[in-house]
Amino acid sequence: MIPVYEKQEALTQLQRIIESPLNENNPELESTVRQIIEKVRTQGDRAIRELAAQFGDSLPDAFEVPQAEVEAALARVPKETHELLARAAENIRIFAQGVLENLRPVHLARGTFRVGLDWTPVNRVACYVPGGRYPLPSTALMTAVTAQASGVPELCIVSPSPSDIIIAAGVQAGVTQFYRVGGAQAVAAIAFGTESIRAADMLVGPGNAYVTEAKRQLQGVIGIDMLAGPSEVLLIADAKANPTWVALDMLAQAEHGPDSRAYMLTNDATFAQRVQDELSRITAQETALPEYLRTTTSWGAIFCLETLEQCAKFSNLLAPEHLELQVENPDTLKPHLKHYGALFMGYGTPVPYGDYMAGPNHTLPTGRTARFSGCLNPLTFLRPQSWIAAGLPAQSLASDTARFAELEGLTAHALSAQARFAPSLTV
C-alpha cells in the first residue's frame, strides 16, 4: 500500500526527498561506457558487432534499415494507426510552428554599424528511440517532428529494434534513415560515425543509464537535448478532485518503470486516504499493470500538508518533470509555481494528453533539473548566430573598443580596432 504521510512526518519525508543526491556517481558504469565509446570511435562497425555479441544483443545483417524494409513496415501498419500517428504529428508540428512564429531574427542599426542575430538549424539530427518493454512511437514523433519544424534538413532514428510503428512514426516526421543500434554504442556511433552509420550534429531522445552516461561523456563532441533520468510526476490535488482519476494518473507515470516516481500533495487528509484506497483497488484489479506496482511501494507516496500554497512551495523545491494541478482553480495556483518540466492544469488534464496528442513536447527535464532547464522545443535545434557589420570609419565604436582593450592590457586587440579609424596608423 502506497504510504500516506501527514503533518510533521510529511514535511520530514519531503525534505529527505529534496535533499537526496540528484546524480550519484557510478564509477563502474562510467568506466564501462568510456570503454564502449573508445572502442566504437577507433573500430567503428566491428566494435558494434563485438559489443552486440558481448551483451547478447541481436545483430542485423546491416545497421541501416533498407528502403524496401521501410516500405514493408509501412504496409504492415493499419490505416487507422497511420491516421492516429498523423493526427499526433500534426498537433506537435502546429505547436512547434506556434513557437517559431514568435521567434524573429534581430537586426539593429547603431549609427555607423549594424548588429543582428539569426536563428539557424543544425544540419543533421539523430533521434534515439528506446527499445525497452514498450515501443515508443511517441518519442519518434516528439523528437523528429520538432526538429523537422525547426528546419533541420537531415533526420535519422537510432533504435535497438525499430519496430513497424516506430518506422511509421519516423516517416510521418520526415526521417529518411533508420539504424538498428542501441545503447552507449549507438551514441558513440552517432557522435563519431562508422563505416555504416553517418555521424550527426545532435542526438536527442531518452534512453537507459548507458545511453544517458554516453550522452554525458560525449556532450561537446555532439549536441544533446538533456540527460534524462527516471520519469516522475507530482500531483497537487484538493478535496474536490476525483480520487480514481488521481490514482490512475499516478499509476500512469509509475508504469514507465520501477524507478519512476509518482507523488501527490494535498491539503485534505480524507482525500489522501481515498486516493490510497483507489491505488490499492486498481492495482489489485488491473492485472495487466506491471507486477512491481503491486509488490513494491518505492515508486509513490502521498503527502498531506496544511494548504495548497504549502503544496506549491514544496512543488517548487521538488521541480518535477510533470506537474498536475488537480484543483478547482488551477489558474489561481499557477502563479505560485516556478519549477516544472510541463504543467497540466485542471481535473480534466492528465499527463498522457501531453505524452501523445496535445502538441507540447513530452521530452522533459527530470531529477530537479527543471530548476534550470526546460522541455525539448524548436529552439533546441536552432543556433543563435550573432553578426556585426561596421562601416569605415566607425570612429566611436573603434576608439571605445581600443580603450576597452587597453583596460585589459590586450595590445593587439587595441591596435586592431585603432587601425579601422586611423588607417595610416603604423605598427
Side-chain angles (χ1 to χ4, degrees):
M1 184 176 290
I2 293 299
V4 174
Y5 300 107
E6 298 184 42
K7 299 180 180 178
Q8 187 57 47
E9 187 180 17
L11 299 177
T12 299
Q13 291 295 329
L14 282 169
Q15 197 63 39
R16 180 186 60 79
I17 294 169
I18 292 164
E19 293 175 354
S20 61
L22 298 180
N23 295 297
E24 295 187 66
N25 188 38
N26 185 333
E28 183 178 353
L29 175 65
E30 183 179 343
S31 176
T32 299
V33 169
R34 182 171 288 108
Q35 292 173 38
I36 291 171
I37 289 171
E38 182 61 16
K39 190 167 185 174
V40 173
R41 186 185 72 82
T42 57
Q43 299 176 28
D45 286 354
R46 187 181 75 179
I48 298 175
R49 294 186 179 280
E50 290 177 357
L51 289 164
Q54 177 183 333
F55 297 135
D57 297 336
S58 60
L59 190 61
D61 295 332
F63 294 121
E64 184 174 353
V65 179
Q67 184 59 33
E69 289 189 29
V70 170
E71 292 173 2
L74 294 176
R76 288 190 293 266
V77 174
K79 179 184 176 183
E80 56 270 24
T81 301
H82 280 294
E83 293 171 348
L84 179 64
L85 293 172
R87 290 196 297 275
E90 181 183 20
N91 289 344
I92 296 165
R93 189 173 289 111
I94 287 172
F95 183 80
Q97 289 169 345
V99 173
L100 292 167
E101 286 169 4
N102 290 282
L103 191 66
R104 296 285 186 270
V106 176
H107 291 186
L108 298 174
R110 303 283 290 139
T112 55
F113 65 97
R114 295 174 294 123
V115 295
L117 185 143
D118 297 325
W119 297 93
T120 309
V122 299
N123 187 62
R124 181 170 166 83
V125 169
C127 304
Y128 189 93
V129 180
R133 65 171 62 87
Y134 308 114
L136 296 175
S138 59
T139 295
L141 291 176
M142 290 287 180
T143 54
V145 169
T146 307
Q148 184 193 44
S150 302
V152 175
E154 296 182 20
L155 292 168
C156 67
I157 279 179
V158 290
S159 177
S161 53
S163 64
D164 292 352
I165 195 169
I166 288 173
I167 290 173
V171 170
Q172 283 280 358
V175 172
T176 57
Q177 290 178 303
F178 299 85
Y179 294 112
R180 294 188 186 98
V181 60
Q185 52 268 41
V187 183
I190 287 298
F192 300 113
T194 73
E195 299 90 333
S196 301
I197 300 171
R198 284 185 55 209
D201 302 303
M202 290 191 70
L203 175 72
V204 298
N208 63 17
Y210 288 87
V211 170
T212 301
E213 176 61 21
K215 288 171 73 175
R216 187 188 70 79
Q217 291 188 25
L218 287 170
Q219 60 182 328
V221 176
I222 189 172
I224 67 168
D225 48 351
M226 62 189 73
L227 299 174
S231 296
E232 56 198 37
V233 67
L234 177 68
L235 298 94
I236 298 177
D238 61 20
K240 294 184 179 180
N242 185 312
T244 303
W245 293 359
V246 169
L248 288 170
D249 291 357
M250 293 177 70
L251 290 167
Q253 201 61 34
E255 189 175 33
H256 281 288
D259 56 355
S260 299
R261 294 292 178 265
Y263 300 132
M264 187 192 79
L265 307 179
T266 183
N267 62 340
D268 188 279
T270 300
F271 183 77
Q273 185 62 57
R274 293 174 68 194
V275 173
Q276 184 188 49
D277 292 343
E278 282 299 283
L279 285 167
S280 297
R281 181 188 66 79
I282 294 168
T283 52
Q285 177 179 306
E286 297 293 336
T287 56
L289 290 172
E291 183 64 22
Y292 64 83
L293 293 178
R294 285 183 285 275
T295 58
T296 66
T297 61
S298 60
W299 55 267
I302 297 169
F303 303 91
C304 189
L305 303 178
E306 292 294 328
T307 64
L308 291 179
E309 289 71 25
Q310 189 179 30
C311 294
K313 172 187 172 183
F314 276 99
S315 174
N316 287 331
L317 294 172
L318 291 164
E321 177 187 16
H322 305 92
L323 175 57
E324 279 195 22
L325 301 185
Q326 292 289 312
V327 298
E328 186 174 19
N329 296 305
D331 289 309
T332 301
L333 193 59
K334 183 183 177 184
H336 297 276
L337 300 162
K338 305 300 180 185
H339 307 306
Y340 49 82
L343 185 64
F344 302 82
M345 300 176 61
Y347 301 136
T349 316
V351 167
Y353 284 179
D355 286 339
Y356 303 120
M357 296 301 299
N361 213 281
H362 78 190
T363 307
L364 301 167
T366 61
R368 295 178 57 211
T369 59
R371 293 171 297 126
F372 53 81
S373 64
C375 64
L376 187 140
N377 66 88
L379 274 68
T380 304
F381 305 100
L382 296 175
R383 296 162 292 167
Q385 297 176 313
S386 64
W387 56 267
I388 303 169
L392 286 173
Q395 291 186 346
S396 177
L397 175 63
S399 61
D400 283 350
T401 298
R403 289 176 182 175
F404 210 112
E406 289 166 354
L407 287 178
E408 296 187 347
L410 296 173
T411 301
H413 282 63
L415 291 172
S416 173
Q418 287 170 354
R420 265 62 180 185
F421 73 88
S424 61
L425 177 70
T426 58
V427 179

